[in-house]
Amino acid sequence: MAGGRVLKLAVIATAAGAFSAMFGVGGGTVIVPLLIAWFAYGEREATGTSLLAIVGIGALAAIGQGLHGNVSLPEGVLVGIPAVAGVVAGTELQQRLPERAISLLFAILLLVVAAELVIG
C-alpha cells in the first residue's frame, strides 16, 4: 500500500473514531463519503467496508461511554435486537437499488438530520 493511501485511510479512521465517540456516528457519515471521494469506492463497497470497520469502533466507543456512565444496557439491547431485522432488510434492499439511488437517499438523510439538528 502506498504511503499516501495509508495516510488517507488513517485520517478516515481517526475522524470516524472521534465522531463515533462524540456523536454516536462515524461509519456512515465519515467513512462512506470519504472512501467514495478519496478512493473512488462504489457505494456498496464503501458501505460494506465501513460496516466492518465500525464493529471495532462502535464497541470501543460504547465501552468508553459506558465507563462515563452514558450507556443504558437494557435500552441498547432493546434497540439492537430489532435492528438486526433492519440490517437484513436494508442489505437486501441496497443490493437491488442502483448505486445512484443509494447515494441520493443517503444525501437526503444527511440533509434531513442536519436540518433537524440546526432547527431543533
Side-chain angles (χ1 to χ4, degrees):
M1 227 186 257
R5 183 177 178 86
V6 171
L7 181 59
K8 285 181 180 178
L9 287 171
V11 168
I12 292 171
T14 302
F19 274 62
S20 183
M22 290 191 304
F23 307 118
V25 299
T29 57
V30 175
I31 297 173
V32 171
L34 290 177
L35 287 176
I36 292 169
W38 288 359
F39 295 101
Y41 276 37
E43 188 75 35
R44 290 183 183 94
E45 184 182 14
T47 301
T49 301
S50 172
L51 288 169
L52 178 59
I54 64 171
V55 169
I57 294 168
L60 289 174
I63 290 168
Q65 290 290 342
L67 292 173
H68 290 282
N70 300 326
V71 174
S72 170
L73 186 59
E75 290 180 358
V77 171
L78 186 63
V79 169
I81 290 173
V84 172
V87 165
V88 172
T91 300
E92 291 305 313
L93 180 61
Q94 187 208 44
Q95 298 305 306
R96 289 172 172 70
L97 292 174
E99 285 197 3
R100 183 75 180 133
I102 297 166
S103 294
L104 182 62
L105 288 170
F106 184 58
I108 291 168
L109 172 66
L110 290 178
L111 288 171
V112 168
V113 170
E116 177 64 28
L117 288 171
V118 171
I119 296 167

